[in-house]
Amino acid sequence: MEMDKKERECSPVTENDTTVRSKANLSSSRMQVVSRLEHSKLAQLLKWCFFSSILILLPWRFKQLLAPHLGSMESFSLSSLTVNQSLNPLVFQSIPLGSVRPLGWLEDEMNLMSDGLAGHEIDFYRVVRDSPWLGGGTEYSGLNEGLPYWFNGLVPLAYGTDNPRLKSQVDRVLEHVLNHQQDDGWLGPEQYEKRDIWGRFPMCLGLMQLVEADAAQAAKIVPAIHRFVYIMHSMLTYNSGFTDFWGMVRYPDMIIVLQWFYENYPQDNKAMLLETMSLLDRNGLHWKSYYSKKNFIFADLDTVRPPINGDSGTFPFVHAVNAGQALGDRDFADRCERAAFNALPAAFTQDHWGHQYLTVTNQPFSRKLKDPNPYWNTGVQSIMYGIEPNYPCCTVNFPQGLPKFLSASVVYSGSDGLAHALLSPVRAITKLPNGVAVNLTCDTAYPFDLTLNYQIVASAPFKFHLRVPSWASAYELILATSRSKQSPSSSNPPKTFNQDNLIPDPHTGMISVDLLQHTYITYILHTTLRTESRANDTVAIYHGPLLYALDVGQDVKFDKLNSSNIDTTSPSFPAEHAHDYDITNTKEWRIAIDPSTLVYHGPSSSSSSSSSNDTSSSAPGFPEPAIADLASPIWDYEAPPGYVTVKTCEILWDLEKGTPSPVPEKGRRVCVKDSVGQRVLRPYGSLKVHMAELPVMDLSGE
């Protein structure tokens, strides 16, 4: 049916580092990400279907293993393999799920997720509660991906927050899925003629994470995975298994699972696991050939003339390829933080009960669109916030973003090192591969404040690595073995490092220090406001990893829910939270700025935002923690502590199909009479309506 086709064509995602998507535009920076994917060893980053994330492994690591044995993938055979080989080593290795817990604002946000839509879908949302995977009959696509999507995010949310209620939901799904595995090994409800392996990929990712978090589950899960691998291998051998391009594009998802079991639970089945990886790669659709000018428009669509009719379907979309942090590339880690601290919070309501399908760069209001609307393959509710404002796929992916960010934030570096790769307030308790036990606490208000305070206790000395973001203009690292109120012992004074004597690795961006068994660290990042050029003489404004957008005010009204997938008669239906939202601006949005007048107001990059001005109780160089100062929910309107002011004026700027038209060309921008003044920019994630790519003008004479 047409509905099935549209439902499975979820999220036409694009990314220019400002938003998740903007008018289905695939920017040149997006192309740069994709071109690098063919060379990745492991990718662990946020995967966006609105704001979902998955761990994604691309075949580079696998192909390097097979290269000595293969002339081509088509000539592959088991007899050509020496099956005791190891996969290529990772630059960074993830630590077991549940070993990293959130603190501060991140803990608040993940608790809101648990108490919000993500933690209650199984109570009243039919796509989850009545899924065919659980014996029900509600699914939005013949691919049966709804429950697997949700389960893939629920597992890291449950174990990242150590939430018993969510763990019980995980157990409920696990028991039903494994108890109903079919005799031939197939996982899921489909019979032979309707089988597509794609929906198994997110389910197996969830099962993999569950074994990682709770080794006691291995006795049930590992045999089930290997039984499924046998039937998947058989189907792929005879060129079946994919009934839709969706799985062909996303085949690397399953390679993550196969590689993880190859290294951790091979069960004397390494040859089969390797050949199945090869078959997936052979049968899948490779981005290098698919993501090309033949299939996509790479220019900013606002600059294409004549204008493109975005509702015509004359250009395709891409459902969020994945990039790599764990391969050690600082650029991808920077992008991951930028997505997690900007596009992600902008796409959900502060209470984590509602979300958007489309988050638009310049979005001064969030309401029903006119029909036809300017965006391809979307409905009139696509920029509204709600439980299911457009397609169900984004509702079931609701648990994904922050739990995957958390689980990838602290990683192993070699056998004797631990690295804080994605910066945020966390606590990690783990054993390094060499057996050294480490207990790390990072007390910080990052990204709202750029000081991170660490207390680290270890059973033996080890190497500690910290990422220096590419936007940092300078940094300081202060190490001490005491945090006494008195001055540290002169025999062991604090050690101070900076960019002059501790140089980051040019590829990973990591600085490394040798730590003793008990160490206190203050890590201070310095930066300035910066502008990044966008199409048609517009700019985006950043401070650290945070994007700042024009505050256009907001007037929030509730609208009636519009989805048959929501059981409003359920005793668990959250009537007080379940709304569609209509949000309109209360301030003028047709604004141009003079970038030379930008001023940042907020926590200094060289101090914490402590509520106490008395720092005498701290050891030198160790400000008191900043966590307690932040509002909760931190992504509520006006909640984040920093803001930017800038000189502005109102310009003439039309609407097109009910949304802002392309930005007026620079030569046609004229200030409306008596409109010159000063406006405020706030963190993009806290503004559900916003203007984030702003036209520039010289207002020095105004």
Side-chain angles (χ1 to χ4, degrees):
M1 292 186 302
E2 179 65 16
M3 179 59 70
D4 285 342
K5 174 178 180 293
K6 286 198 172 187
E7 297 294 19
R8 67 176 180 259
E9 290 175 348
C10 183
S11 291
V13 178
T14 68
E15 178 182 356
N16 59 9
D17 295 326
T18 302
T19 64
V20 179
R21 55 177 74 79
S22 175
K23 296 189 177 180
N25 171 34
L26 295 170
S27 67
S28 59
S29 65
R30 193 58 172 158
M31 180 56 184
Q32 293 167 7
V33 174
V34 174
S35 68
R36 304 179 72 170
L37 292 178
E38 287 298 311
H39 307 287
S40 64
K41 297 178 182 175
L42 175 68
Q44 289 182 357
L45 194 63
L46 298 180
K47 167 260 167 190
W48 299 93
C49 170
F50 145 61
F51 61 74
S52 63
S53 70
I54 62 172
L55 303 180
I56 181 70
L57 175 61
L58 284 131
W60 187 93
R61 188 175 175 226
F62 169 58
K63 289 177 180 176
Q64 292 298 309
L65 168 63
L66 296 180
H69 307 278
L70 298 179
S72 68
M73 285 297 181
E74 287 71 15
S75 65
F76 175 76
S77 68
L78 280 174
S79 61
S80 67
L81 277 176
T82 304
V83 298
N84 61 355
Q85 294 187 65
S86 298
L87 297 171
N88 281 347
L90 306 174
V91 177
F92 299 121
Q93 178 71 55
S94 60
I95 69 177
L97 180 65
S99 301
V100 185
R101 298 284 168 78
L103 297 176
W105 72 264
L106 186 57
E107 181 179 22
D108 290 345
E109 289 296 301
M110 291 186 67
N111 285 337
L112 284 168
M113 289 185 70
S114 300
D115 295 337
L117 178 59
H120 288 281
E121 290 189 37
I122 201 168
D123 297 329
F124 69 92
Y125 189 56
R126 291 188 174 99
V127 175
V128 173
R129 187 194 66 186
D130 303 330
S131 167
W133 284 81
L134 300 179
T138 301
E139 178 55 85
Y140 59 84
S141 165
L143 297 175
N144 283 325
E145 64 187 15
L147 184 84
Y149 267 148
W150 173 78
F151 186 73
N152 182 26
L154 183 72
V155 172
L157 178 59
Y159 283 85
T161 56
D162 193 25
N163 187 305
R165 181 175 60 83
L166 300 190
K167 287 182 179 179
S168 70
Q169 295 179 13
V170 170
D171 291 341
R172 171 182 165 186
V173 173
L174 174 68
E175 291 302 315
H176 194 281
V177 169
L178 296 191
N179 288 341
H180 289 80
Q181 186 170 20
Q182 298 184 38
D183 291 342
D184 59 1
W186 183 256
L187 286 168
E190 301 87 353
Q191 297 305 310
Y192 298 102
E193 69 278 4
K194 295 183 178 180
R195 287 178 173 178
D196 188 303
I197 60 176
W198 151 246
R200 276 49 20 207
F201 297 176
M203 175 58 69
C204 289
L205 281 166
L207 295 173
M208 178 195 76
Q209 293 173 91
L210 187 51
V211 176
E212 186 183 47
D214 183 3
Q217 302 279 15
K220 293 184 290 187
I221 294 174
V222 172
I225 291 290
H226 280 276
R227 289 181 63 206
F228 172 68
V229 169
Y230 274 104
I231 187 172
M232 177 169 59
H233 175 275
S234 176
M235 295 172 72
L236 292 169
T237 298
Y238 293 97
N239 296 313
S240 66
F242 293 125
T243 63
D244 190 279
F245 82 100
W246 204 247
M248 296 173 66
V249 174
R250 298 283 297 281
Y251 77 91
D253 296 22
M254 192 63 198
I255 291 184
I256 294 177
V257 177
L258 297 177
Q259 291 190 340
W260 191 86
F261 280 93
Y262 178 92
E263 292 187 319
N264 294 279
Y265 294 91
Q267 309 301 95
D268 297 322
N269 198 26
K270 283 191 171 182
M272 178 69 73
L273 291 168
L274 286 173
E275 186 165 358
T276 306
M277 296 180 211
S278 171
L279 290 166
L280 283 165
D281 184 73
R282 185 194 72 181
N283 293 11
L285 192 59
H286 290 228
W287 279 104
K288 189 173 183 179
S289 59
Y290 180 66
Y291 193 77
S292 65
K293 291 183 178 180
K294 175 183 175 181
N295 297 321
F296 291 92
I297 298 172
F298 290 93
D300 188 304
L301 298 187
D302 285 348
T303 67
V304 175
R305 296 293 182 271
I308 293 172
N309 179 8
D311 191 45
S312 69
T314 56
F315 58 91
F317 64 86
V318 55
H319 188 291
V321 294
N322 305 274
Q325 180 267 323
L327 77 156
D329 192 312
R330 174 169 62 178
D331 177 58
F332 287 139
D334 287 345
R335 288 173 181 268
C336 184
E337 285 191 4
R338 183 179 281 198
F341 302 148
N342 297 291
L344 176 60
F348 56 70
T349 56
Q350 69 276 8
D351 62 359
H352 288 262
W353 277 98
H355 71 273
Q356 263 184 322
Y357 179 69
L358 296 178
T359 300
V360 186
T361 310
N362 287 340
Q363 177 181 289
F365 31 76
S366 170
R367 61 195 184 197
K368 285 184 180 179
L369 295 168
K370 294 183 177 180
D371 191 12
N373 73 75
Y375 309 117
W376 182 68
N377 198 32
T378 65
V380 295
Q381 290 186 306
S382 58
I383 66 170
M384 294 182 70
Y385 291 84
I387 288 181
E388 189 196 277
N390 204 90
Y391 292 144
C393 54
C394 296
T395 302
V396 290
N397 272 295
F398 204 87
Q400 299 250 9
L402 287 179
K404 298 284 180 73
F405 178 87
L406 174 71
S407 66
S409 62
V410 180
V411 293
Y412 296 136
S413 179
S415 64
D416 62 347
L418 194 68
H420 197 179
L422 303 177
L423 305 179
S424 58
V426 297
R427 182 178 184 184
I429 302 176
T430 189
K431 277 191 176 181
L432 304 182
N434 67 0
V436 173
V438 179
N439 186 326
L440 174 150
T441 299
C442 178
D443 187 358
T444 183
Y446 185 92
F448 311 101
D449 179 272
L450 303 183
T451 296
L452 298 93
N453 300 299
Y454 294 86
Q455 179 176 350
I456 302 174
V457 179
S459 62
F462 74 102
K463 291 185 180 296
F464 184 53
H465 309 267
L466 276 167
R467 187 179 114 259
V468 179
S470 58
W471 47 258
S473 56
Y475 54 89
E476 301 165 57
L477 193 69
I478 308 167
L479 278 66
T481 57
S482 171
R483 198 165 186 171
S484 168
K485 293 184 179 181
Q486 287 74 40
S487 296
S489 169
S490 59
S491 63
N492 194 16
K495 297 178 181 179
T496 301
F497 304 90
N498 57 36
Q499 64 278 359
D500 297 324
N501 54 25
L502 190 61
I503 309 300
D505 180 277
H507 178 66
T508 65
M510 291 285 183
I511 52 176
S512 303
V513 290
D514 293 316
L515 297 188
L516 300 175
Q517 291 168 265
H518 198 163
T519 308
Y520 293 93
I521 299 175
T522 288
Y523 181 37
I524 306 170
L525 295 165
H526 297 271
T527 192
T528 58
L529 274 176
R530 66 189 189 280
T531 60
E532 294 187 4
S533 297
R534 298 288 187 256
N536 198 13
D537 295 293
T538 62
V539 294
I541 296 97
Y542 289 88
H543 185 268
L546 291 178
L547 169 68
Y548 284 77
L550 183 70
D551 180 356
V552 296
Q554 62 179 43
D555 180 36
V556 181
K557 292 183 173 63
F558 296 144
D559 206 345
K560 184 179 179 180
L561 284 173
N562 183 25
S563 172
S564 61
N565 290 321
I566 301 170
D567 183 0
T568 58
T569 66
S570 168
S572 302
F573 175 67
E576 69 276 22
H577 300 294
H579 312 287
D580 285 342
Y581 295 76
D582 188 302
I583 309 176
T584 55
N585 60 300
T586 60
K587 302 174 185 178
E588 181 56 60
W589 61 266
R590 301 171 179 84
I591 295 296
I593 68 168
D594 184 340
S596 68
T597 66
L598 289 163
V599 178
Y600 175 72
H601 308 265
S604 168
S605 62
S606 61
S607 66
S608 76
S609 56
S610 173
S611 59
S612 171
N613 293 322
D614 180 12
T615 58
S616 61
S617 62
S618 303
F622 292 93
E624 288 297 313
I627 287 178
D629 301 322
L630 296 179
S632 181
I634 187 57
W635 296 114
D636 203 356
Y637 180 59
E638 296 185 338
Y643 64 96
V644 173
T645 56
V646 65
K647 190 174 184 179
T648 68
C649 79
E650 180 185 347
I651 61 174
L652 298 178
W653 192 342
D654 295 329
L655 292 175
E656 182 178 318
K657 294 185 177 180
T659 62
S661 63
V663 179
E665 296 176 0
K666 188 173 183 179
R668 300 174 60 188
R669 297 170 192 167
V670 178
C671 290
V672 173
K673 185 178 180 181
D674 298 327
S675 68
V676 175
Q678 188 177 78
R679 291 287 293 271
V680 171
L681 284 67
R682 302 189 187 278
Y684 177 83
S686 67
L687 302 176
K688 308 313 170 192
V689 290
H690 47 253
M691 299 293 289
E693 293 184 358
L694 298 168
V696 300
M697 291 182 67
D698 180 0
L699 299 178
S700 58
E702 300 293 335

